[in-house]
Amino acid sequence: MSVSPSINVAVIGASGYSGIELLRILLSHPNVRLSAVTSRQNAGKALTEVLPQFAGYPGGASDLVFSSPTIDELVASGVEVAFLALPHGVAAEFAVPLVKAGVRVIDLSADFRLSDPAVYEEFYGQAHPAPDLLASAVYGLPEIYASEIHRAQLIASPGCYPTSILLPLIPLLRSGLIDPSTIVVTSMSGVSGAGRKEAVPLLYAECNESVRPYGLPKHRHLSEIEQELSVSASSPVKITFVPHLVPITQGICTTTTAKLTSRFSDVSQIEGVMKALYRDQPFVRLLGEGGYPDTRHVRQTNFVDIGWHHDERTGRIVLTSAEDNLWKGASGQAVQSLNIVNGWPQTLGLL
Amino acid sequence: MSVSPSINVAVIGASGYSGIELLRILLSHPNVRLSAVTSRQNAGKALTEVLPQFAGYPGGASDLVFSSPTIDELVASGVEVAFLALPHGVAAEFAVPLVKAGVRVIDLSADFRLSDPAVYEEFYGQAHPAPDLLASAVYGLPEIYASEIHRAQLIASPGCYPTSILLPLIPLLRSGLIDPSTIVVTSMSGVSGAGRKEAVPLLYAECNESVRPYGLPKHRHLSEIEQELSVSASSPVKITFVPHLVPITQGICTTTTAKLTSRFSDVSQIEGVMKALYRDQPFVRLLGEGGYPDTRHVRQTNFVDIGWHHDERTGRIVLTSAEDNLWKGASGQAVQSLNIVNGWPQTLGLL
Amino acid sequence: MSVSPSINVAVIGASGYSGIELLRILLSHPNVRLSAVTSRQNAGKALTEVLPQFAGYPGGASDLVFSSPTIDELVASGVEVAFLALPHGVAAEFAVPLVKAGVRVIDLSADFRLSDPAVYEEFYGQAHPAPDLLASAVYGLPEIYASEIHRAQLIASPGCYPTSILLPLIPLLRSGLIDPSTIVVTSMSGVSGAGRKEAVPLLYAECNESVRPYGLPKHRHLSEIEQELSVSASSPVKITFVPHLVPITQGICTTTTAKLTSRFSDVSQIEGVMKALYRDQPFVRLLGEGGYPDTRHVRQTNFVDIGWHHDERTGRIVLTSAEDNLWKGASGQAVQSLNIVNGWPQTLGLL
Amino acid sequence: MSVSPSINVAVIGASGYSGIELLRILLSHPNVRLSAVTSRQNAGKALTEVLPQFAGYPGGASDLVFSSPTIDELVASGVEVAFLALPHGVAAEFAVPLVKAGVRVIDLSADFRLSDPAVYEEFYGQAHPAPDLLASAVYGLPEIYASEIHRAQLIASPGCYPTSILLPLIPLLRSGLIDPSTIVVTSMSGVSGAGRKEAVPLLYAECNESVRPYGLPKHRHLSEIEQELSVSASSPVKITFVPHLVPITQGICTTTTAKLTSRFSDVSQIEGVMKALYRDQPFVRLLGEGGYPDTRHVRQTNFVDIGWHHDERTGRIVLTSAEDNLWKGASGQAVQSLNIVNGWPQTLGLL
């Protein structure tokens, strides 16, 4: 006799791009039963009326209706895991009572990524809405914090830029091969990263044939990037980070450089520390010295591809990485955490 | 009594993207008579058969026929200025006899950009085809070398990446505000920059939804970039340079960072040195501290837009620039040199 | 002794895509002095603050400031021609007093394109705001109504789709070579055609990798298309018209088919009637039997390219055409009318 | 005790866009064991060296090596089903011996789609390479020929345009609701449809901002379209078909119009005949009267979306459809046939 391993999952706030990709993944996930899809704006409408691309999908897509339940109703309905795909600030309003009610929460917003509420206030311009919960929240980067994620009740899924920046840098910082004070990061993000909002600068005719930097010098994601880099370096790290908007829908390409330290003697060391950390990680693909990532190769996947080059002329390492900002940079990574929480293979429903 | 100021101009090798934009500009240039448009491959065909977009254009577009003349024939036809839109190595074959025959040459290839033939060989993988001419060639960056261009018989028009990198950096290096050893440059180029050649990696379906780095660690353009940066810094400069291919047709967006030196005390100094050099330059648009360039704003123009941000947290300056790789990065800049050579307003036919 | 031929021009409502392209053309137009650029929303701001792409342009771009004058103030300022780049309904509010005050008006909206106010109400869902002016308004399609435009005080510049549909069809309808009851038109428009408005369906991430029909079965432009086709056929014409949105910024590609009549005997007749009407028209480029237009070839130009194929298997002619929806489909065409009004060459400032 | 249902599958010629998507689907297909992936050009190279996007995929992707076996070697290796992703003409060379050897063949080329070899010669410009096999080949459109596909040894998978055109039209032709002599079809295809070949017209810089018709008046796909329409109408059908290239990677949007006959009285009849045929088809999504398909909604799926509008003004029906040209238009459909052949759910590995 066997028992179905399926669990009841709710997606809170499913009208943005991350929410849509989250639905796409969860509808096909073999161990997930989508028991609630909430949206204040679309409450009462059929999922496939609002998102016709999901007509004919498995996972009961045709029967799902957007709802707008109270927390009590959500809990009473037997939801075991709630994904929060909400703006920062709003997410905490849901997280607090859900956690209290014993529901496991995977939050895609920034609300619980920072351990220090003062840093939150500095970067997000408002007092932290639930500082008491910060201590128990886990930064949901599976390649680094898998065991913490497995035990956590509140998982703060990382931002899109941070994922593409942290994964290449962490092994090098841990090993002392690079000088943390010399890190310069340039990222190029697809337009979906800016959200599904009515805004002239995100119109097709504004973004097509357009490449432009923005968010200087203190993009919000810097706060979690520097927090995690500092952990890896065992000392405070500050970096220069320049994000750009490029005309693709999905994808982030990140180029990171730093000065090599005296511990560095040969480029094979890079491969050594990368492999030591990521050898068994199903979603990190090491392209090796000389390899180039391409956002097209990771589109609609949970992979992050990492290559590197030694610039002997300047004594710098150049790390290049690519991911899908909506998958490994948001929803895919959140489902990866769901799998870890439940002890399922990390790749379940993602590959 | 007045004499028409028109001069006879030839475009040698007009089948690539730079050549096409050069034709577009020259056909409408009030002081230019296009007396020869050459192409071995298309010799004998009407210009508008090969390039139907030019049907109905002024400048005698409908009567132009691609030819493949000998140098002697070109000279005999009265050509006064020849633009070379040819691959490196091939350009020199034409430049040598044309210069000898007294024709003024504006070369869009890399053949005469480097003063040291050994550097040419290092970066281009072949012996320099005409080292004797190097001493007399002028690096055709009008904002820096206008008076040399005015007198030159052989002008080596700069590459696309170099233009977008040199213009923001030169005033800062000259003034000693930045540490040359800390320069990191990231550029994003439209696909036309890779040329109009039959190659699978340049197909639409390969480039769309794709952002990818390439050319590490020693892109060919580094040679001329570092040559000119070294002149500005009065000492040898080596930089880390990471080019990327992004899905736009035309445009380069460049982001440059460097550590500020002890000479730096206030961000207004940046504006000061920028304005001192570029105040009267019609094609440099200074966006100021906090300004962001956008490739869309310079498309089909000869402008280069430059903004900057002071990253106090890391002591770095971030310079951002945008240009059209085929205009200011190639053909527009070459025509700007033509105007300077003839003592015409720099903007003639370009604005 | 010569007198400057420049005239004083105002652009009323210059914040949309048509308005921006209109400014681009007028700033470089040799005979135009831009004396007013109005926008309620941007009043008081410098033109180049709102539209930084125009910094450094000629035509006094750097000194222009958005204003929001009353009609009286406009008239008092000596404006001779006013372009209206306003939503339908709003345009008429400006047109009525301007016409009354003796200002010549070139209206880019739909308000004065239809001679029958009942048709306006049927297609635009509101009573016509100024039916008394309809009789004196001229449909501003220069290739057809040049002499009327020259004399008109109120010119209703055609819509983007209509221009691309009418020009290929009119010679064939006039000559009786096609059966009007069998016309089927499919058009593909770039996203700028939908306007510069905050709307999720126009976001980059919604339009990229998206091709979709819309506006069936009675797109508003059908009203003026059928009005003009009926004139050409000397009998009421109704057509099936299917517009599509495609991921380009600027451009319309239109494919039109109709059954050939018994008057048709040979495909050379098509070239005959096309050339008879358009031989001397500088902006109509006839690609001939077998020629294919391409939106890329007309981008940022006022050309409309027309090709055709005889489908012997079905007895149909296939007409294909391409234009830039913001130039020949809107602002370029409006300036073409300005040139005609003033007796200048049609191409002045446009080529 | 259970036996694994997996079968041994070979992909012959896997370097083009259809081949790549076929690999993507088959690598994740639960009942498929990819036993051979062949390519003359890449023989000996690891799959993930040539196609790095498949690193980390399931289905043994990391162990696969491109081979170039003889037919005998293929057969000896136990291949049960061979997909042919080869150019027309070449496919038949493999199909003949494979069929003879008892291997089931699913051919993505045009070689066996036409029952009449004379039509093949007319449209493909060469004598049919294996006319004896035509009688036994089945046109692999699963929604129409599922039972024939189940029994077939040689399946000719339909072309991309035909799939998007036939599915909307067949129910209307069978029911006599439209006049076959009035059918006009316009299609817009993504650039991957033109193949992965070194050709200047397919370069990014040629296709971006470009919409253009081509292939008039007798695109090759007309042959199979008209063959199948004639079967549905029980009489010879000829149509006007205008394909266009649009700047998307994957997707076809098709718009079809025809005159309604006297059998038509109400638009609900359209829904009636559509549902009668497609109600239980998992990959046909009927959007209903007023519904609009969007290529973005079917990208990387095997769905075909169909909407329709009644144009009362002209007595025409307008059918609109969208599919992914590489999935439902090629590889997805071929795998759908594989599922039918083996008696598996049609959606296995595809949803």
Side-chain angles (χ1 to χ4, degrees):
Chain A
M1 199 187 93
S2 80
V3 175
S4 156
S6 283
I7 60 166
N8 287 320
V9 167
V11 175
I12 313 297
S15 58
Y17 290 123
S18 292
I20 292 171
E21 287 308 299
L22 189 56
L23 287 174
R24 188 188 311 279
I25 297 168
L26 293 175
L27 285 170
S28 299
H29 195 291
N31 288 9
V32 162
R33 192 164 44 245
L34 256 181
S35 51
V37 179
T38 86
S39 161
R40 275 177 199 159
Q41 178 188 354
N42 293 311
K45 290 186 188 165
L47 174 73
T48 56
E49 180 191 344
V50 178
L51 300 169
Q53 62 265 49
F54 293 136
Y57 266 61
S62 302
D63 299 325
L64 281 167
V65 176
F66 279 104
S67 60
S68 185
T70 64
I71 300 289
D72 287 348
E73 288 168 345
L74 261 180
V75 173
S77 75
V79 163
E80 295 165 87
V81 177
F83 288 91
L84 306 184
L86 297 163
H88 67 84
V90 180
E93 293 175 25
F94 283 78
V96 173
L98 284 167
V99 164
K100 197 171 173 185
V103 175
R104 221 181 286 245
V105 172
I106 302 178
D107 179 14
L108 280 75
S109 89
D111 278 358
F112 298 99
R113 293 178 192 157
L114 302 172
S115 52
D116 183 346
V119 176
Y120 182 91
E121 190 164 347
E122 178 191 351
F123 277 84
Y124 289 87
Q126 57 189 62
H128 193 280
D132 295 348
L133 270 184
L134 288 177
S136 67
V138 166
Y139 191 70
L141 192 58
E143 287 75 12
I144 305 301
Y145 294 115
S147 58
E148 290 85 348
I149 291 168
H150 182 60
R151 291 187 305 263
Q153 203 200 339
L154 173 56
I155 296 161
S157 218
C160 51
Y161 287 124
T163 300
S164 74
I165 295 166
L166 293 172
L167 290 175
L169 275 175
I170 286 172
L172 274 63
L173 280 174
R174 286 189 179 175
S175 61
L177 287 168
I178 56 171
D179 175 353
S181 73
T182 63
I183 297 172
V184 173
V185 179
T186 310
S187 289
M188 291 134 256
S189 172
V191 186
S192 68
R196 200 181 190 211
K197 55 191 178 214
E198 296 173 342
V200 165
L202 305 183
L203 294 183
Y204 184 88
E206 306 287 319
C207 296
N208 187 35
E209 285 292 283
S210 164
V211 179
R212 53 189 203 253
Y214 73 99
L216 283 168
K218 267 178 72 177
H219 188 281
R220 285 172 168 176
H221 282 177
L222 258 183
S223 52
E224 62 185 278
I225 295 167
E226 292 182 342
Q227 167 181 288
E228 296 300 317
L229 294 182
S230 299
V231 170
S232 294
S234 303
S235 67
V237 175
K238 295 225 176 289
I239 68 168
T240 292
F241 169 51
V242 191
H244 297 74
L245 207 62
V246 292
I248 62 175
T249 295
Q250 286 166 252
I252 282 180
C253 179
T254 287
T255 292
T256 302
T257 77
K259 281 268 185 192
L260 293 158
T261 62
S262 58
R263 292 205 193 171
F264 176 85
S265 56
D266 186 273
V267 72
S268 67
Q269 289 173 283
I270 307 296
E271 184 159 17
V273 298
M274 290 281 191
K275 282 197 170 165
L277 194 52
Y278 299 132
R279 183 180 283 112
D280 299 324
Q281 295 296 338
F283 291 118
V284 178
R285 300 195 295 196
L286 299 177
L287 308 177
E289 156 84 358
Y292 292 111
D294 185 334
T295 55
R296 191 169 55 85
H297 287 168
V298 295
R299 199 183 196 274
Q300 298 284 112
T301 82
N302 202 49
F303 292 115
V304 58
D305 285 1
I306 302 175
W308 55 90
H309 290 77
H310 179 207
D311 188 353
E312 293 182 55
R313 303 164 65 263
T314 61
R316 285 187 165 263
I317 192 79
V318 180
L319 303 162
T320 53
S321 54
E323 64 172 25
D324 185 319
N325 60 305
L326 298 180
W327 280 61
K328 184 61 179 168
S331 304
Q333 183 143 271
V335 173
Q336 194 181 350
S337 280
L338 174 77
N339 290 340
I340 291 170
V341 159
N342 289 284
W344 302 329
Q346 286 198 29
T347 56
L348 197 69
L350 288 169
L351 204 59
Chain B
M1 197 187 94
S2 81
V3 175
S4 158
S6 282
I7 60 165
N8 287 319
V9 167
V11 175
I12 314 296
S15 58
Y17 291 122
S18 292
I20 292 172
E21 288 307 299
L22 189 55
L23 288 174
R24 187 187 311 279
I25 297 167
L26 293 175
L27 285 169
S28 299
H29 195 290
N31 288 9
V32 162
R33 192 166 43 246
L34 256 182
S35 52
V37 179
T38 87
S39 161
R40 276 179 199 157
Q41 177 188 353
N42 293 311
K45 292 185 188 167
L47 175 73
T48 56
E49 180 191 345
V50 178
L51 299 169
Q53 61 264 50
F54 292 136
Y57 266 61
S62 301
D63 300 324
L64 281 168
V65 176
F66 279 104
S67 61
S68 185
T70 64
I71 301 289
D72 286 349
E73 289 167 344
L74 262 180
V75 172
S77 74
V79 164
E80 296 164 86
V81 177
F83 288 91
L84 307 184
L86 296 164
H88 67 83
V90 180
E93 294 175 24
F94 284 78
V96 173
L98 284 167
V99 164
K100 198 171 174 185
V103 176
R104 219 180 290 242
V105 172
I106 302 179
D107 179 14
L108 280 76
S109 88
D111 277 358
F112 298 99
R113 294 177 191 157
L114 301 172
S115 54
D116 183 347
V119 175
Y120 183 91
E121 190 164 348
E122 176 191 352
F123 278 84
Y124 289 87
Q126 57 189 63
H128 193 280
D132 294 350
L133 270 183
L134 289 178
S136 67
V138 166
Y139 191 70
L141 191 59
E143 287 76 11
I144 305 301
Y145 295 115
S147 58
E148 290 86 347
I149 290 168
H150 181 61
R151 293 187 304 263
Q153 202 199 340
L154 173 55
I155 295 161
S157 217
C160 51
Y161 287 124
T163 300
S164 74
I165 296 166
L166 293 171
L167 289 174
L169 275 175
I170 286 172
L172 274 64
L173 280 174
R174 286 189 179 175
S175 62
L177 288 169
I178 55 171
D179 175 354
S181 74
T182 64
I183 298 172
V184 172
V185 179
T186 310
S187 289
M188 291 134 258
S189 172
V191 186
S192 68
R196 199 181 191 211
K197 56 191 176 214
E198 297 174 341
V200 165
L202 304 182
L203 295 183
Y204 184 88
E206 307 288 319
C207 296
N208 186 36
E209 286 292 284
S210 164
V211 178
R212 53 189 203 252
Y214 73 101
L216 283 169
K218 269 178 72 177
H219 187 280
R220 284 171 169 177
H221 282 176
L222 258 183
S223 52
E224 63 186 278
I225 295 166
E226 292 182 343
Q227 167 182 289
E228 296 301 317
L229 294 181
S230 299
V231 170
S232 294
S234 303
S235 68
V237 176
K238 295 225 177 291
I239 69 168
T240 292
F241 169 51
V242 191
H244 297 74
L245 206 62
V246 291
I248 62 175
T249 295
Q250 286 166 254
I252 282 181
C253 179
T254 287
T255 293
T256 302
T257 79
K259 282 268 184 192
L260 293 158
T261 62
S262 58
R263 293 205 193 171
F264 176 86
S265 57
D266 186 273
V267 73
S268 67
Q269 290 172 283
I270 306 296
E271 184 159 16
V273 297
M274 290 281 189
K275 282 196 169 165
L277 194 53
Y278 299 132
R279 182 180 284 114
D280 299 324
Q281 295 297 338
F283 291 120
V284 179
R285 300 195 294 198
L286 299 176
L287 308 178
E289 156 84 356
Y292 292 111
D294 185 333
T295 55
R296 192 169 53 87
H297 287 169
V298 294
R299 199 182 196 273
Q300 298 284 111
T301 82
N302 203 48
F303 292 115
V304 59
D305 285 1
I306 302 176
W308 55 90
H309 290 78
H310 178 207
D311 188 354
E312 294 182 55
R313 305 163 64 263
T314 62
R316 285 186 165 263
I317 191 78
V318 179
L319 302 161
T320 54
S321 53
E323 63 172 25
D324 185 320
N325 59 305
L326 298 180
W327 281 61
K328 184 60 178 168
S331 304
Q333 182 143 270
V335 174
Q336 193 181 352
S337 279
L338 174 78
N339 290 340
I340 291 169
V341 158
N342 289 284
W344 302 330
Q346 286 198 30
T347 56
L348 196 69
L350 288 169
L351 204 58
Chain C
M1 195 187 97
S2 80
V3 175
S4 157
S6 282
I7 61 166
N8 288 319
V9 167
V11 174
I12 314 296
S15 57
Y17 291 123
S18 292
I20 292 171
E21 288 309 297
L22 189 55
L23 288 173
R24 187 187 312 279
I25 297 167
L26 293 175
L27 285 169
S28 300
H29 195 291
N31 287 11
V32 162
R33 191 165 46 246
L34 255 181
S35 53
V37 178
T38 86
S39 161
R40 275 178 198 157
Q41 178 188 351
N42 294 311
K45 292 186 187 165
L47 175 73
T48 57
E49 180 191 344
V50 178
L51 300 169
Q53 61 265 50
F54 293 135
Y57 266 60
S62 301
D63 300 324
L64 280 168
V65 176
F66 279 104
S67 61
S68 184
T70 63
I71 300 289
D72 287 347
E73 289 167 346
L74 263 180
V75 173
S77 75
V79 163
E80 295 164 88
V81 177
F83 287 91
L84 306 184
L86 296 164
H88 67 84
V90 180
E93 294 175 26
F94 284 77
V96 172
L98 285 167
V99 165
K100 198 171 172 185
V103 175
R104 220 180 290 241
V105 172
I106 302 179
D107 179 14
L108 280 77
S109 87
D111 278 358
F112 299 98
R113 294 177 192 157
L114 301 172
S115 53
D116 182 348
V119 176
Y120 183 91
E121 189 164 348
E122 176 191 352
F123 278 85
Y124 289 87
Q126 57 188 65
H128 193 280
D132 295 349
L133 270 183
L134 289 177
S136 68
V138 166
Y139 191 70
L141 192 58
E143 288 76 12
I144 306 300
Y145 296 114
S147 57
E148 291 86 347
I149 291 167
H150 182 59
R151 292 186 305 264
Q153 202 200 339
L154 173 55
I155 295 161
S157 218
C160 51
Y161 287 125
T163 300
S164 75
I165 296 166
L166 292 172
L167 290 174
L169 275 175
I170 287 172
L172 275 63
L173 280 173
R174 285 188 179 176
S175 61
L177 287 168
I178 55 171
D179 175 355
S181 73
T182 63
I183 297 172
V184 172
V185 179
T186 310
S187 289
M188 290 134 257
S189 172
V191 185
S192 68
R196 201 182 189 208
K197 56 191 178 213
E198 297 172 342
V200 165
L202 304 182
L203 295 182
Y204 184 87
E206 306 288 318
C207 296
N208 186 35
E209 286 293 282
S210 164
V211 179
R212 53 189 202 253
Y214 73 100
L216 283 170
K218 269 177 71 177
H219 188 281
R220 284 169 168 178
H221 282 176
L222 258 183
S223 53
E224 63 185 280
I225 295 166
E226 292 181 344
Q227 168 182 289
E228 296 301 317
L229 293 182
S230 299
V231 170
S232 294
S234 303
S235 67
V237 175
K238 295 225 176 290
I239 68 168
T240 292
F241 169 51
V242 190
H244 298 73
L245 207 62
V246 291
I248 63 176
T249 295
Q250 286 167 252
I252 283 181
C253 179
T254 288
T255 293
T256 302
T257 77
K259 282 267 185 191
L260 294 158
T261 62
S262 58
R263 292 204 193 172
F264 177 86
S265 56
D266 186 89
V267 73
S268 67
Q269 290 172 283
I270 307 297
E271 184 159 16
V273 297
M274 290 282 191
K275 282 196 170 166
L277 194 53
Y278 299 132
R279 183 180 285 113
D280 299 325
Q281 295 298 338
F283 292 120
V284 178
R285 300 195 294 198
L286 298 177
L287 309 178
E289 156 85 355
Y292 292 111
D294 185 334
T295 56
R296 191 170 54 86
H297 287 169
V298 294
R299 199 182 196 275
Q300 298 285 111
T301 82
N302 203 48
F303 291 115
V304 59
D305 285 1
I306 303 175
W308 56 89
H309 290 78
H310 179 206
D311 188 355
E312 294 181 55
R313 306 163 63 261
T314 61
R316 284 185 165 264
I317 191 79
V318 179
L319 302 161
T320 54
S321 54
E323 64 172 25
D324 185 318
N325 59 304
L326 298 179
W327 280 60
K328 184 61 180 168
S331 304
Q333 183 144 271
V335 174
Q336 193 181 351
S337 280
L338 174 77
N339 290 339
I340 291 170
V341 159
N342 289 285
W344 302 329
Q346 286 198 29
T347 56
L348 197 69
L350 288 169
L351 204 57
Chain D
M1 197 187 96
S2 81
V3 175
S4 157
S6 282
I7 61 166
N8 288 318
V9 167
V11 174
I12 313 297
S15 58
Y17 291 122
S18 292
I20 291 172
E21 287 308 298
L22 189 55
L23 287 174
R24 187 188 312 279
I25 297 167
L26 293 175
L27 284 169
S28 299
H29 195 291
N31 288 8
V32 162
R33 190 164 46 244
L34 256 182
S35 51
V37 179
T38 86
S39 161
R40 274 177 200 158
Q41 177 188 351
N42 293 311
K45 291 186 188 166
L47 174 73
T48 58
E49 181 191 344
V50 178
L51 299 169
Q53 60 265 50
F54 293 136
Y57 265 60
S62 301
D63 299 325
L64 279 167
V65 176
F66 278 104
S67 61
S68 185
T70 63
I71 300 288
D72 287 348
E73 288 167 345
L74 262 180
V75 172
S77 75
V79 164
E80 296 164 88
V81 177
F83 288 91
L84 307 184
L86 297 164
H88 67 85
V90 181
E93 294 174 26
F94 285 77
V96 172
L98 284 167
V99 164
K100 197 171 174 185
V103 175
R104 218 178 293 240
V105 172
I106 302 178
D107 179 14
L108 280 77
S109 88
D111 278 358
F112 299 99
R113 294 177 191 158
L114 302 172
S115 53
D116 183 347
V119 176
Y120 182 92
E121 190 163 348
E122 178 191 351
F123 278 84
Y124 289 88
Q126 56 189 64
H128 193 280
D132 295 348
L133 270 184
L134 289 177
S136 67
V138 166
Y139 191 71
L141 192 59
E143 287 76 13
I144 306 301
Y145 295 114
S147 57
E148 290 85 349
I149 290 168
H150 182 59
R151 291 187 305 264
Q153 202 200 338
L154 173 55
I155 296 162
S157 218
C160 51
Y161 286 124
T163 300
S164 75
I165 296 166
L166 293 171
L167 290 174
L169 275 175
I170 287 173
L172 273 64
L173 281 174
R174 284 189 179 174
S175 61
L177 287 168
I178 56 170
D179 175 354
S181 73
T182 63
I183 297 172
V184 172
V185 179
T186 311
S187 290
M188 291 134 256
S189 173
V191 186
S192 68
R196 199 181 190 209
K197 55 191 177 215
E198 296 172 342
V200 165
L202 304 183
L203 294 182
Y204 184 87
E206 306 287 319
C207 295
N208 187 35
E209 286 292 284
S210 163
V211 178
R212 53 189 203 254
Y214 74 100
L216 283 169
K218 269 177 73 177
H219 188 281
R220 284 171 170 177
H221 282 175
L222 258 183
S223 53
E224 62 185 280
I225 294 166
E226 292 182 343
Q227 167 182 289
E228 296 301 316
L229 294 181
S230 298
V231 170
S232 294
S234 302
S235 67
V237 175
K238 295 224 176 293
I239 68 168
T240 292
F241 169 52
V242 190
H244 297 74
L245 207 62
V246 292
I248 62 175
T249 296
Q250 286 166 251
I252 283 181
C253 179
T254 288
T255 293
T256 302
T257 78
K259 282 267 184 191
L260 293 157
T261 61
S262 58
R263 292 204 194 173
F264 176 86
S265 56
D266 186 90
V267 73
S268 67
Q269 289 173 283
I270 307 297
E271 184 159 16
V273 298
M274 290 282 191
K275 282 196 170 166
L277 193 53
Y278 299 132
R279 182 179 285 114
D280 299 325
Q281 295 296 338
F283 292 120
V284 179
R285 300 195 295 197
L286 298 177
L287 309 177
E289 157 84 358
Y292 291 112
D294 185 333
T295 56
R296 191 170 53 86
H297 287 169
V298 295
R299 198 181 196 273
Q300 298 284 112
T301 81
N302 203 48
F303 292 114
V304 59
D305 285 1
I306 303 175
W308 56 90
H309 290 77
H310 179 206
D311 188 353
E312 294 181 55
R313 304 164 64 262
T314 61
R316 284 186 165 263
I317 191 81
V318 179
L319 303 161
T320 54
S321 54
E323 64 172 25
D324 185 319
N325 60 304
L326 298 179
W327 280 62
K328 184 61 180 168
S331 304
Q333 182 143 270
V335 174
Q336 193 181 351
S337 279
L338 174 77
N339 290 339
I340 291 170
V341 158
N342 289 284
W344 303 330
Q346 286 198 30
T347 56
L348 197 70
L350 288 169
L351 204 57

